[in-house]
């Protein structure tokens, strides 16, 4: 004679404790139809060992990152090929998230390094890599070019890989054309899939003089500060028997505010050529 096994029933609180989950977890998956405990005449719901394996599968799917909707599909209406397809899609999403986090981590690391250079006011001359620049303002007004706003959201969403940058073009006689916008190295734009179109322009030079600096922000003296910064860099460049360009990019690394003083940390870039 075969031995009969009797399944012991557990109320939700005790069952949750023995399964290492919360009562809320069980109720949530019950409401979605994945868990179906027995309901006794007194209205109490009871779980048994048959439910235990389903609870563990629910927990596993949750920890993998599947939504309740996806878990219900997997546990109640799927074949092995369908399950494999769902797993493959989820794996692709996770890999994309990992790559994004890696890019963000690299951007943070670069920001920290740049901040240290700005504090020390380091400088260097190096081979240049092409940089995309998207103008967003002209003078003190936003650009009226519709092409800017067709791609602006994508650029803003790509920060901190994309950085806030001011392009200053020296027109002579202490006259400047100032444009705030965004910049990103071309190779990094390609890596993150940032599509660029006009009015974004690709700026490319063979060599660039780079000055890391920091100074207190002064709105009233902004034009004077720009001219002073440019003249200082030009003088330094001339001492090295190089010829400076007339366009300066000011890439903002960070702002800080302490005791009413706002400090900007930025990178000044001017293209140079041999004399």
């Amino acid at each position: 004679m075969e031995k009969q096994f009797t399944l012991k029933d557990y109320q939700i609180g005790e069952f949750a404790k023995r399964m290492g989950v919360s009562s809320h977890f069980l109720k949530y998956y019950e409401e979605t139809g994945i868990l179906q405990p027995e309901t006794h005449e007194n209205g109490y719901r009871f779980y048994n060992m048959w439910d235990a394996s389903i609870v563990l599968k629910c927990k596993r799917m949750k920890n993998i990152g599947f939504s309740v909707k996806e878990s219900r599909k997997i546990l109640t209406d799927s074949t092995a090929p369908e399950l494999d397809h769902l797993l493959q899609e989820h794996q692709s999403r996770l890999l994309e998230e990992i790559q994004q986090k890696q890019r963000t981590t690299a951007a943070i690391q670069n920001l920290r390094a740049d901040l240290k250079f700005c504090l020390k006011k380091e400088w260097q001359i190096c081979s240049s890599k092409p940089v995309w620049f998207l103008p967003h303002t002209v003078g003190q007004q936003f650009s009226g070019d519709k092409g800017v706003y067709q791609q602006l959201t994508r650029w803003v969403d790509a920060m901190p890989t994309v950085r806030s940058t001011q392009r200053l073009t020296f027109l002579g006689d202490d006259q400047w054309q100032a444009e705030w916008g965004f910049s990103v190295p071309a190779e990094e734009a390609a890596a993150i899939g940032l599509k660029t179109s006009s009015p974004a322009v690709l700026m490319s030079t063979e060599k660039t003089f780079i000055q890391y600096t920091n100074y207190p922000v002064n709105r009233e003296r902004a034009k004077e500060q720009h001219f002073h910064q440019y003249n200082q860099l030009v003088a330094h460049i001339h001492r090295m028997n190089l010829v400076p360009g007339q366009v300066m990019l000011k890439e903002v690394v960070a702002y800080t505010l302490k005791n009413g003083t706002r400090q900007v940390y930025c990178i000044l870039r001017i293209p140079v050529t041999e004399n």
Side-chain angles (χ1 to χ4, degrees):
M1 178 181 294
E2 294 185 1
K3 185 176 180 180
Q4 297 296 318
F5 291 93
T6 302
L7 294 174
K8 182 178 178 179
D9 291 333
Y10 298 88
Q11 289 189 11
I12 187 170
E14 184 180 3
F15 187 75
K17 182 178 179 180
R18 292 180 182 274
M19 290 301 302
V21 297
S22 67
S23 297
H24 176 75
F25 179 91
L26 297 178
K27 289 178 182 178
Y28 190 60
Y29 280 85
E30 181 185 336
E31 290 171 359
T32 63
I34 298 175
L35 290 174
Q36 299 177 351
E38 293 184 7
T39 303
H40 289 197
E41 294 180 357
N42 58 10
Y44 287 109
R45 300 185 305 279
F46 288 85
Y47 296 82
N48 56 46
M49 294 300 295
W50 286 110
D51 300 306
S53 62
I54 300 176
V55 170
L56 293 177
K57 288 183 176 67
C58 290
K59 187 65 175 176
R60 185 181 187 185
M61 294 298 102
K62 182 177 185 296
N63 288 353
I64 285 175
F66 281 116
S67 67
V68 174
K69 182 179 179 180
E70 290 170 325
S71 295
R72 183 177 183 180
K73 171 68 177 175
I74 292 168
L75 297 174
T76 65
D77 184 27
S78 67
T79 62
E82 290 173 331
L83 172 58
D84 183 65
H85 179 68
L86 288 171
L87 289 168
Q88 183 182 21
E89 285 187 333
H90 189 61
Q91 182 180 15
S92 296
R93 288 197 299 269
L94 288 175
L95 288 173
E96 186 176 341
E97 289 175 9
I98 290 171
Q99 291 172 351
Q100 176 60 41
K101 289 185 183 297
Q102 289 175 334
R103 288 193 292 267
T104 301
T105 300
I108 292 172
Q109 183 176 350
N110 290 337
L111 281 173
R112 292 185 65 198
D114 289 342
L115 183 59
K116 290 180 180 178
F117 289 150
C118 289
L119 288 170
K120 296 179 179 179
K121 297 189 175 182
E122 300 277 1
W123 64 271
Q124 61 177 305
I125 297 176
C126 62
S127 299
S128 302
K129 295 181 179 180
V131 173
W132 282 102
F133 177 77
L134 177 67
H136 188 213
T137 71
V138 178
Q140 299 299 316
Q141 298 182 359
F142 288 119
S143 171
D145 192 325
K146 294 181 180 179
V148 171
Y149 303 100
Q150 291 172 351
Q151 54 190 317
L152 179 63
T153 300
R154 296 196 302 273
W155 281 68
V156 173
D157 287 345
M159 298 178 84
T161 302
V162 170
R163 292 193 182 183
S164 174
T165 302
Q166 188 176 37
R167 180 170 65 176
L168 296 153
T169 304
F170 184 50
L171 304 177
D173 297 327
D174 297 351
Q175 297 298 310
W176 292 88
Q177 177 177 298
E179 304 165 281
W180 274 106
F182 305 90
S183 68
V184 59
E187 62 180 14
E188 292 186 24
I192 63 178
L194 180 63
K195 295 182 180 180
T196 55
S197 59
S198 179
V201 293
L202 186 63
M203 304 180 67
S204 179
T205 58
E206 292 185 2
K207 286 186 178 181
T208 301
F209 180 91
I210 300 175
Q211 175 70 61
Y212 297 85
T213 188
N214 72 89
Y215 57 89
V217 177
N218 189 317
R219 292 185 180 182
E220 290 73 22
R221 297 180 57 241
K223 290 184 178 180
E224 180 184 338
Q225 285 181 325
H226 295 159
F227 188 64
H228 178 68
Q229 289 167 350
Y230 181 80
N231 281 341
Q232 278 192 321
L233 297 187
V234 166
H236 195 162
I237 291 168
H238 281 153
R239 285 196 294 270
M240 292 181 288
N241 202 31
L242 295 171
V243 179
Q246 292 183 309
V247 176
M248 179 171 70
L249 287 183
K250 183 169 73 174
E251 180 183 301
V252 176
V253 175
Y255 287 104
T256 59
L257 179 63
K258 190 74 171 180
N259 298 326
T261 300
R262 182 177 295 277
Q263 197 81 359
V264 60
Y265 306 83
C266 58
I267 305 172
L268 308 176
R269 303 177 189 269
I270 293 183
V272 293
T273 55
E274 299 289 341
N275 195 343

